[in-house]
Each structure stands twice: as C-alpha cells, then as structure tokens.
Amino acid sequence: MKPESSYAKLRLTMQEKKIETEILEILSRDCRTPPETIARMIGRSVEDTTGIIEALENQGVIKRYTATIDWEQLGLEKVIAFIDVKVMPAREVGFDAIAMRIARYPEVKSVWLVSGGSDLRILVEAVNLRSLGNFVAEKIATIDGVTGTVTQFLLRKYKEDNVLYNEPEPDDRLIVSP
Amino acid sequence: MIMGDSKEIRPLLKPLSSRARELPFSGIRRFFDIAASMQDVISLGVGEPDFTTPWNIREAAIYSIERGQTSYTSNYGLIELRRAISKHVVQLYNTSYDPDTEILVTVGVSEALDLAFRAVLDPGDEVLVPEPCYVSYKPCVTLAGGNAVGVQTSAEDGFQCRAEQFERVITPRTKAILLGYPSNPTGSTMPRNELQRIVDLASERGLYIVSDEIYDRLTYDQEHVCVSSLRGARERTIYLNGFSKAYAMTGWRTGYVCAPEEILRILMKIHSYTMLCAPIASQKAALEALHRGEAPLRDMVAQYNQRRRLIVDGFNRIGLKCRMPEGAFYAFPDIEATGLGAEDFAERLLFDERVAVVPGTAFGTGGEGHVRCSYANSLERIEEALSRIGRLTAKLIS
C-alpha cells in the first residue's frame, strides 16, 4: 500500500471517529435528541446520521437509552447500597467469573472492578432495607470465592449523570445585552 | 417644592457635558426595556454565554476570598496572572509580551478599549471602525475626544473589511484602525492575507491598530489569526482580550491589554488613576481559567458549534438567508425577504411571537436588513425560537 493512501485512510477514519464522538456526546446529554436535529447540529445528512447511530447501537457502543429519574421526588422509596466485595481470584478467569455471577442478579445495577482495599464494587437497588440485607447475606456473601463484603447505604443524591439534584440553575442573564 | 404647586422649580444647575449628552443611547437598550416587561420571551438577544463559569474557576475565587485575599493588586495586575497571560499568548499565537512591562490586567475588554483610545487620541483624531460592530466601539472613541469613522462592510463580502476601504477614508487626522474579529454582531472572521494587507497599510501610514479579539477562542472551522502575530504588527498593535467569552466569565469583568512597553505604560497610567486595579478575586479566577480552563472551553466550543450549524440551517430553511458565521456565537440572518426593516422585524417578532433578537441597525448602518441572533442558548430554546420566527416569516412573505 502506498504511504499516501494509508494516510488518507487514516484521516478518513479520524474524521469518522470525530463525527461518531460528536453524535455520542449529543446523545449522552439528551438521548431523545431526534436524528434530524443531530444531523443539522453536525452538518451531515439525516441518512448518514441514522446510519451511524444504528451502527453504534449494533456494535454495542451505545448500550441503551435511559432516563435520569429523581425517584425520591416522586415519593418512591428505594434503598440503594454500594457494596465492596473482596474476592479470591480464580485461576484462568481472575475476577471475571465471580463478577459475572454477581452481575446477573437483577437487583445489581452496576458492577465494577476497582483498585484499593476491595476488588469489586457493586451497586444494588432494593425496595426496602430487609430485602437488601437478605440479598447481600444470602446471595452475595455466600458465593464461593467471596471473602468479605462492606455495605454502604446511599443517604442522599446530590448529582447523578451530570445532573445536579437540588440546585436548579436558572438563566438569569439580562434578556438583551450587547 | 410647595405642596400643590404644579410649577416645577428647577434648581440652578449648569448643563451636563455636551459630549456626553449628545452621545446616543445604545439601540440595544430600547429593546431591552420592552422585552424585560414581557412574559415568556425567548431571548436570542443575549450577548454572553449561557454556560455558568466552570466550577474549578468559581472555586478558585471562593478559595482566594476564604484565604482573605481581598486587597488591591499591582496596577498592572497580579504578576502570576500576567506571566500566565504571556505564556498563553506565546502558546496560541507565538507572540511574546513581557509580563513585567507589556501586559495590563483590566476590568474587561470594555475598560481596555476605553484606555486604548484615551491613550492614543488627541481631540479630533480619527479612528476607522468597520461596521456593523460592537455597540461600544464608536462611543468609546467619541468619549476619548476622537471621531469614529465608520467603514461599512456588507454581507456580500462576508462582513470582512478590506485595506482599500480604509485607504479611501484615511485623512491626516487618522490615528488608528479598530479591528474586532471574530465579530460581534456578524460572527465573521478575517483571513490572514487580508489582515496582513491592513497591517501593511497601517505601517505605511504610521497608524495604531486596536485589536479586540475577545472571541478568539470561539472559532469553528479555522484557527484564529492574532493581529499582533502578523508581520510588522506588534509594534503598533494594542491587543485586547479577556476571559468573558472563552471561559463564560462575563460577570467577573476581567480582561487584559498587551502592547509594546512605550504604549502600555500610558494605558497603565490612565488605568492607575481611574481603576487602580482589577478585582483580586476575579484575577485569581482568571489565573485558574488559564491553568485549567482548556477542557471546559473545548466542551463549550463543541456545543456552540453544534448550535451554530442548527440555527444557520434553521434560518435558511425558513427562507431567511443566513451565512455560516466562522466565529463568536451570533448568527446574522438577512431579513430583507420579509419586506421589513431590521427594527420593524425585531419589533414584530417580539410582540407577535415573543422572541427577542437585536436589530442589526443597533450595530451601525451596515446592519440594516439583518438581525443578530445569539445561539448561546439551549437547543430547546433555539428550536422553539426558530419555529416562532418561521411562523412570523411565513406570514410576512406570503
């Protein structure tokens, strides 16, 4: 392959990457932004834009579209806990086998492998304190290879997914200014 | 005054300064007064970012206040801030200014403009000002005792000015050329070669260049050209910039001037008598902006860029011809298709559809037939404003 053509190809991929990143940033701010609007924001056709979004969905880059909800404001009580799990890593699979075992429970919202004193940090959501306690005691602590858990309950949310919960930021600029 | 006496008794008082009295009020003011009294107005009339100052910058100022840093600073401004500005200008434009003698921290570019003209002008001296332009340019010249000579640019030329246009109006009284690119209100920028020709002309005629580059970081398709970085420009250029637009810091009122020592010391002298120094908390915030403001800046520019494409596309769909602005955060659509003048259109838009825009005429004669629409606003509001403007336009065109 000639050096110019590989350079041109590289440039093209870089441009595509830039467009993809731009689309993803728009969607991460508001996943309901219509493709027509996104197309106009990035200066591409609607077909191009929908094509790129579909490809990103198919590749699994876009996992899913969700809403950030203040359940408390709705009056819905939910118990959320962060659980630090110490794990004995297994030969061949390391932490993956236990991590996946934990991740498959629907109560478990997120599972991360972290550095520091514990190995896995998981986020669990339950309807009340008792069911959460039961879940940890019966399901997590009893998994082979789990050597200890530390549970921390969430008391109040201040910010989630870039959204401040309690501090609306009104637009108090002058209506017309030079 | 005696109760019930209808005759007004005026105290003996000589008239206020005729120069100040004769200065017209800004055309923006009238619109502001009307719009402020109405409900549910979507405003595209705002000349400042819709973002709040990034938190790290706000926090730096809070920390400095907590530590009791509440004093005056050097007239020039904090030396660490001047050093940071010097480094910043070298990195961006490869132009070097000595932080000890060639940089002055001001209360926004507004103060810097005032200083520049007071330093340069004698009564009756002329300053060439491309129009349409920022509302304060000509009044600042007038208040400094000079005469502002408008040089009209047009949509056909992309609102760029040409050396020949200046050449035609230069007189023995001409002292300076004012450049303000990227431009408020048109969003246009100047190509390097044309700027160089203007610099060459200024060199030939011994003119100063006052260059307001407050929107330098908000350019979208190409790199900004700093006037001082051009051949032969540094020695005659008073370079003005600040933090308001790039870092969403309008309310902090912090800007700076860079100029050769012999020019800057005169500006500094005026500043030392009239302003003393810029507020220290704002200077601390500005320092943080230069140290760690690049990431939030890039994020804001990316969002402005998306809104820019959206709003320009929106105007063209509606049937209002709109060129793609290369910088700042203003679109300057041509509203002649509606059959209304800029003032009438803006007024109809405000009363019929409750959208505030600024008539181009507020920025000088070259602005007729256009309105300035700021896209420093949320996507939802821009889209809603476009649909309302579309409704009025359809009514007017049919």
Side-chain angles (χ1 to χ4, degrees):
Chain A
M1 199 188 277
K2 280 187 196 162
E4 305 94 75
S5 74
S6 76
Y7 174 69
K9 211 171 151 189
L10 180 70
R11 264 191 63 150
L12 197 68
T13 9
M14 276 168 65
Q15 262 172 18
E16 278 166 15
K17 264 250 132 40
K18 216 179 130 197
I19 296 273
E20 285 178 353
T21 313
E22 205 164 358
I23 292 176
L24 290 170
E25 272 164 5
I26 294 167
L27 287 173
S28 71
R29 281 197 295 272
D30 180 2
C31 67
R32 295 208 308 171
T33 316
E36 294 75 26
T37 307
I38 298 178
R40 293 162 67 199
M41 289 164 76
I42 61 170
R44 297 283 285 254
S45 70
V46 181
E47 294 72 37
D48 275 7
T49 309
T50 356
I52 295 169
I53 295 175
E54 271 172 23
L56 288 165
E57 288 167 355
N58 293 338
Q59 291 159 23
V61 174
I62 298 174
K63 299 287 183 206
R64 67 191 180 117
Y65 300 96
T66 64
T68 303
I69 295 164
D70 188 348
W71 293 104
E72 209 170 299
Q73 196 183 323
L74 192 73
L76 247 168
E77 293 281 328
K78 284 194 180 212
V79 182
I80 293 171
F82 298 95
I83 305 170
D84 286 342
V85 185
K86 264 184 104 68
V87 173
M88 186 85 79
R91 204 180 171 93
E92 310 265 326
V93 290
F95 295 103
D96 296 357
I98 293 180
M100 286 309 293
R101 231 191 148 88
I102 294 174
R104 289 199 175 91
Y105 287 105
E107 291 89 336
V108 174
K109 294 286 160 198
S110 306
V111 181
W112 304 284
L113 180 66
V114 294
S115 63
S118 61
D119 304 305
L120 297 174
R121 162 158 289 201
I122 69 179
L123 195 151
V124 177
E125 200 176 279
V127 286
N128 56 39
L129 207 61
R130 185 207 301 261
S131 66
L132 194 128
N134 287 347
F135 175 70
V136 176
E138 291 165 16
K139 303 295 183 194
I140 305 296
T142 54
I143 294 174
D144 264 354
V146 168
T147 59
T149 62
V150 175
T151 302
Q152 294 168 319
F153 291 103
L154 186 146
L155 300 180
R156 181 178 293 164
K157 284 186 185 180
Y158 292 98
K159 184 179 183 182
E160 191 164 84
D161 295 338
N162 295 317
V163 182
L164 284 175
Y165 268 50
N166 291 317
E167 186 195 325
E169 287 177 346
D171 185 353
D172 43 18
R173 296 176 296 164
L174 299 174
I175 286 185
V176 177
S177 62
Chain B
M1 203 196 226
I2 303 156
M3 288 279 279
D5 186 356
S6 63
K7 216 167 76 187
E8 197 182 330
I9 299 170
R10 303 193 63 152
L12 183 63
L13 205 56
K14 292 192 174 181
L16 293 163
S17 144
S18 56
R19 183 194 284 163
R21 275 184 297 136
E22 280 157 20
L23 197 67
F25 279 101
S26 162
I28 280 183
R29 235 196 114 72
R30 200 173 70 87
F31 258 82
F32 172 73
D33 292 339
I34 303 170
S37 67
M38 296 170 72
Q39 298 283 313
D40 312 318
V41 173
I42 297 185
S43 181
L44 303 182
V46 188
E48 63 178 320
D50 60 318
F51 298 102
T52 314
T53 308
W55 172 244
N56 63 314
I57 297 173
R58 285 186 271 161
E59 200 272 341
I62 294 168
Y63 180 61
S64 92
I65 293 169
E66 273 177 358
R67 285 204 302 165
Q69 294 173 329
T70 56
S71 60
Y72 291 131
T73 69
S74 147
N75 292 138
Y76 282 101
L78 294 167
I79 182 63
E80 57 267 39
L81 176 58
R82 284 180 279 140
R83 286 196 189 115
I85 290 167
S86 174
K87 207 170 127 195
H88 182 72
V89 178
V90 168
Q91 278 170 351
L92 285 176
Y93 305 122
N94 199 22
T95 301
S96 127
Y97 287 101
D98 182 347
D100 289 321
T101 55
E102 297 186 316
I103 297 174
L104 173 69
V105 179
T106 58
V107 179
V109 168
S110 299
E111 191 216 348
L113 269 171
D114 183 39
L115 292 177
F117 292 128
R118 288 211 246 178
V120 165
L121 300 177
D122 279 322
D125 283 348
E126 292 168 1
V127 179
L128 310 185
V129 186
E131 285 185 290
C133 66
Y134 180 55
V135 295
S136 300
Y137 287 167
K138 293 173 94 177
C140 277
V141 172
T142 310
L143 287 171
N147 291 327
V149 178
V151 173
Q152 198 168 321
T153 65
S154 64
E156 293 75 55
D157 300 328
F159 294 107
Q160 294 171 347
C161 52
R162 297 283 177 262
E164 294 74 35
Q165 291 177 284
F166 292 121
E167 199 158 15
R168 277 199 288 275
V169 292
I170 287 180
T171 73
R173 294 309 310 263
T174 307
K175 202 77 169 279
I177 294 174
L178 172 60
L179 294 172
Y181 293 95
S183 154
N184 173 7
T186 66
S188 64
T189 59
M190 286 285 292
R192 177 178 294 272
N193 60 332
E194 294 297 340
L195 274 180
Q196 184 64 61
R197 294 178 60 232
I198 294 168
V199 171
D200 292 345
L201 174 68
S203 305
E204 269 167 41
R205 305 299 183 93
L207 305 179
Y208 294 90
I209 297 173
V210 177
S211 187
D212 169 6
E213 301 181 30
I214 186 69
Y215 290 98
D216 68 332
R217 306 306 306 282
L218 308 185
T219 54
Y220 305 102
D221 297 324
Q222 76 272 311
E223 296 284 306
H224 173 72
V225 181
C226 173
V227 172
S228 318
S229 71
L230 295 167
R231 180 176 18 95
R234 191 186 180 283
E235 65 207 38
R236 62 189 62 256
T237 301
I238 304 178
Y239 169 63
L240 318 180
N241 209 328
F243 301 87
S244 297
K245 315 296 175 174
Y247 305 101
M249 290 178 66
T250 47
W252 300 82
R253 310 305 309 123
T254 310
Y256 54 90
V257 192
C258 303
E261 182 177 358
E262 55 278 21
I263 301 176
L264 193 95
R265 55 192 281 272
I266 304 299
L267 274 81
M268 201 292 284
K269 182 167 65 180
I270 305 168
H271 170 81
S272 73
Y273 289 133
T274 55
M275 201 62 71
L276 219 165
C277 68
I280 185 169
S282 297
Q283 293 193 54
K284 289 284 179 184
L287 186 61
E288 173 69 15
L290 290 180
H291 282 162
R292 278 172 287 271
E294 209 52 32
L297 165 66
R298 267 201 299 273
D299 185 48
M300 290 189 274
V301 170
Q303 293 195 49
Y304 287 139
N305 193 8
Q306 290 161 1
R307 299 168 185 181
R308 173 182 74 123
R309 295 189 191 116
L310 184 79
I311 200 168
V312 169
D313 179 71
F315 282 124
N316 286 313
R317 278 165 190 244
I318 288 168
L320 300 178
K321 212 163 65 194
C322 185
R323 51 180 292 283
M324 184 65 84
E326 304 91 18
F329 39 57
Y330 307 106
F332 204 56
D334 182 336
I335 49 100
E336 255 158 19
T338 64
L340 294 180
E343 295 248 351
D344 292 338
F345 178 80
E347 209 160 288
R348 277 290 294 274
L349 190 57
L350 186 58
F351 287 119
D352 291 11
E353 296 290 348
R354 300 189 175 253
V355 175
V357 298
V358 183
T361 43
F363 307 95
T365 45
E368 184 51 276
H370 293 79
V371 292
R372 188 194 75 174
C373 302
S374 164
Y375 50 85
N377 218 327
S378 69
L379 275 183
E380 299 78 55
R381 280 193 228 155
I382 291 173
E383 296 234 73
E384 173 60 23
L386 281 170
S387 99
R388 294 188 193 183
I389 295 170
R391 205 154 53 199
L392 175 68
T393 306
K395 220 168 14 176
L396 292 170
I397 290 179
S398 65

